[in-house]
Amino acid sequence: MRLDKAKSTVCLLAIATLNTLSVAGGLNTNTNQSVLFQRSVARDASTDVDAPYANPSGTAFMEDGLYISANNQTFWQSRETTVEKSPIFKDGTNFKGNAFVPSLPSVLVTWHHGNFALSGHMGVIGGGGRVNFDDGIPSFYALTYAPLKQMEAALAEKGLTTTNSSIDVSLEASSYIFGATLGAAYEFNKMFSVYAGARFNYAMNSYDGSVANLRLNSVIPGVNPEGKMVEASTLAETFATLAESAKTQEEKVQYATLSGTFETLDDKMTMDLELDQTGFGITPIVGLGFKYKRLTLGAKFEYNTSIEMENDTKKNDTPLEQFNDGKKDHNDIPSFLAIGINYSLLDNLRLAFGYHHWFDSKADFSGDLEDYVDDTNEFLYGVEVDFLTRFTISGGVQVTRFGIKDGYISDMNINISSTSFGFGLAYRITDWMRMNLSYFHTLYQDYDEQVEYGIDVYNRDSRGFGVGLDFRI
């Protein structure tokens, strides 16, 4: 029985392919860095308080003063794998993982004077939550199916008829990339601007997984005559007790042997893993801006960020060395190009368009996953309307198309193309304070993958809301 290989492979899938919990943006990036983004989506030519992240060159076009934007977003996400045409699972068997992001905060600050602007941003630019696979994943059960059947056959050869067995698997994983950005912009010729800055990124991943509770329906006279599902550890303890009270040496040896058999099986199918990973990297950022009358253009380029993650392993029952304490692996943030257009049709009506491109194929992802991706493209559309002097209503659409291949996606790494809708309301409480409210909902395309045990159909769901306060001093 190749039980150790099965459980090790599961661990490898868990660590090597579990991606960040991105809520908007690329494979490894969150672009929803303000409630303004959530409620109007296309912000790449912004000259508002969210410009330090969305369009940093646009800060040069702001009026003199100090601007502060404080934001919080909350998200609920689910990831589902439905198995079809499988000899192991019934058609339509569903496995679900849930993620809750209670708080995704961000702060943006701009100081503008004359032609010069100094700006900064702090937020979670990748990941941002914890996902729970309480009921396991299909690839795990498929990997353990053959070893379990071999174990049942081996027990039957010993006179212990066994026709069914099962084990429990659970995994919790969290991923965060915290970013702090600082840069400066300068306006010249009254219509052009340039920006240069950098972001410090600190990445944190954690994994807490277990495989346990081997259960068998071995028919054992006097112990389990009806062949009910019983934990192997319970059977081991029962036979150990019988061995202690055995009246003959032959019975004692027989019971002790059975106790050892079930204890060994339970040990082989038990695993615990507790692992943290940390790393950091610097992202150089440059930007260009143009503003003429009602038209504003913005462009931003973030260079590839090399991040080397190092293991801090507290427990690892697998024989695989890549999970050992101190081991390192890359998980880059890809280069990112953003281009935006904003045009005011009327004094109170603004239209916006944005384009995002991530150079995913040029990055170095964990487990060499860059070999299974092409670049990501994203298209964004937005509209804002001011009414009743102090109110603004807005909405937008974001279309994200990942260049993923079957070698990248899995039942633990469900990054699939999507269309997102955001809308919201702004209320100017005073001339120097504004409140923003938003809702953001993402609809994902189904993705079918042919796997060894049938067809996996992947889907996701994500929805969230945001509250923000903007100040001008």
Side-chain angles (χ1 to χ4, degrees), residues 340-415:
I341 302 173
N342 193 323
Y343 187 76
S344 297
L345 287 176
L346 302 171
D347 291 342
N348 68 329
L349 174 61
R350 296 172 294 281
L351 300 180
F353 168 78
Y355 170 70
H356 296 166
H357 183 89
W358 282 270
F359 298 84
D360 298 321
S361 60
K362 305 298 189 296
D364 188 356
F365 293 133
S366 178
D368 295 327
L369 290 177
E370 66 274 8
D371 295 338
Y372 304 100
V373 298
D374 292 323
D375 293 350
T376 296
N377 292 289
E378 194 166 70
F379 304 89
L380 307 95
Y381 313 87
V383 59
E384 284 189 307
V385 179
D386 301 327
F387 66 101
L388 298 178
T389 308
R390 291 190 176 275
F391 289 90
T392 299
I393 189 170
S394 59
V397 179
Q398 172 182 279
V399 180
T400 305
R401 295 294 178 259
F402 293 123
I404 58 174
K405 304 172 185 177
D406 283 357
Y408 177 89
I409 199 168
S410 74
D411 52 9
M412 293 191 65
N413 193 31
I414 305 176
N415 255 341

Side-chain angles (χ1 to χ4, degrees), residues 36-37 40-46 341-342 352-354 380-382 395-397:
L36 273 171
F37 170 88
S40 54
V41 182
R43 304 298 304 173
D44 302 292
S46 172
I341 302 173
N342 193 323
F353 168 78
L380 307 95
Y381 313 87
V397 179

Side-chain angles (χ1 to χ4, degrees), residues 26-317:
L27 292 174
N28 211 14
T29 312
N30 292 339
T31 55
N32 53 310
Q33 294 300 315
S34 69
V35 177
L36 273 171
F37 170 88
Q38 271 201 333
R39 70 172 177 84
S40 54
V41 182
R43 304 298 304 173
D44 302 292
S46 172
T47 57
D48 209 329
V49 292
D50 62 330
Y53 176 83
N55 178 34
S57 63
T59 59
F61 298 128
M62 299 170 72
E63 295 181 2
D64 284 356
L66 176 65
Y67 300 81
I68 301 172
S69 178
N71 306 267
N72 185 70
Q73 300 170 63
T74 301
F75 282 89
W76 291 263
Q77 294 186 343
S78 66
R79 302 157 185 241
E80 294 188 20
T81 302
T82 303
V83 185
E84 298 178 352
K85 299 181 180 180
S86 171
I88 301 175
F89 305 99
K90 293 181 180 179
D91 271 1
T93 300
N94 185 269
F95 297 83
K96 191 172 184 178
N98 294 306
F100 176 54
V101 185
S103 179
L104 199 67
S106 62
V107 177
L108 303 104
V109 179
T110 301
W111 176 74
H112 186 279
H113 182 73
N115 294 338
F116 178 79
L118 183 66
S119 64
H121 159 259
M122 294 184 66
V124 181
I125 59 95
R130 177 176 295 271
V131 61
N132 299 292
F133 295 93
D134 292 331
D135 298 323
I137 52 174
S139 60
F140 171 81
Y141 291 105
L143 286 166
T144 59
Y145 179 79
L148 287 173
K149 289 302 177 185
Q150 294 173 15
M151 179 186 63
E152 292 171 13
L155 289 171
E157 290 178 1
K158 295 183 178 183
L160 301 174
T161 302
T162 306
T163 59
N164 193 16
S165 57
S166 65
I167 49 178
D168 295 333
V169 59
S170 65
L171 175 70
E172 282 193 6
S174 66
S175 179
Y176 295 87
I177 304 178
F178 300 98
T181 307
L182 184 64
Y186 186 77
E187 178 191 8
F188 58 96
N189 289 343
K190 296 183 179 180
M191 65 176 67
F192 298 99
S193 67
V194 293
Y195 170 87
R199 182 175 62 237
F200 175 79
N201 308 276
Y202 184 75
M204 299 172 56
N205 298 332
S206 69
Y207 306 89
D208 189 353
S210 68
V211 178
N213 300 326
L214 171 63
R215 295 180 295 278
L216 310 154
N217 71 341
S218 301
V219 178
I220 307 170
V223 175
N224 189 28
E226 298 179 0
K228 296 181 180 180
M229 293 291 283
V230 181
E231 291 187 4
S233 59
T234 300
L235 293 173
E237 293 173 1
T238 299
F239 282 113
T241 301
L242 290 173
E244 292 177 359
S245 60
K247 296 179 179 180
T248 67
Q249 183 63 25
E250 182 180 357
E251 287 181 343
K252 184 174 183 178
V253 171
Q254 181 184 13
Y255 291 145
T257 300
L258 288 171
S259 176
T261 297
F262 287 110
E263 183 178 359
T264 299
L265 291 174
D266 186 59
D267 180 66
K268 283 182 175 290
M269 295 302 294
T270 299
M271 178 204 67
D272 289 296
L273 181 69
E274 190 175 353
L275 174 73
D276 294 324
Q277 296 175 322
T278 56
F280 67 91
I282 304 294
T283 307
I285 306 171
V286 294
L288 295 173
F290 173 82
K291 185 175 177 62
Y292 180 72
K293 295 183 178 180
R294 293 179 178 271
L295 175 68
T296 305
L297 306 179
K300 176 181 72 167
F301 184 77
E302 298 185 359
Y303 287 83
N304 187 85
T305 308
S306 178
I307 297 182
E308 189 175 61
M309 305 296 287
E310 183 173 357
N311 293 348
D312 179 10
T313 305
K314 300 173 178 63
K315 193 167 187 179
N316 175 21
D317 291 341

Side-chain angles (χ1 to χ4, degrees), residues 20-25 30 32 37-38 73-80 96-101 104 127-129 398 400 402 414-423 439-445 459-465:
T20 62
L21 311 175
S22 298
V23 290
N30 292 339
N32 53 310
F37 170 88
Q38 271 201 333
Q73 300 170 63
T74 301
F75 282 89
W76 291 263
Q77 294 186 343
S78 66
R79 302 157 185 241
E80 294 188 20
K96 191 172 184 178
N98 294 306
F100 176 54
V101 185
L104 199 67
Q398 172 182 279
T400 305
F402 293 123
I414 305 176
N415 255 341
I416 47 184
S417 296
S418 64
T419 301
S420 301
F421 303 89
F423 62 88
Y439 178 77
F440 197 79
H441 194 167
T442 300
L443 303 176
Y444 294 85
Q445 297 180 349
N459 204 337
R460 290 179 60 168
D461 184 70
S462 176
R463 61 194 69 198
F465 67 88

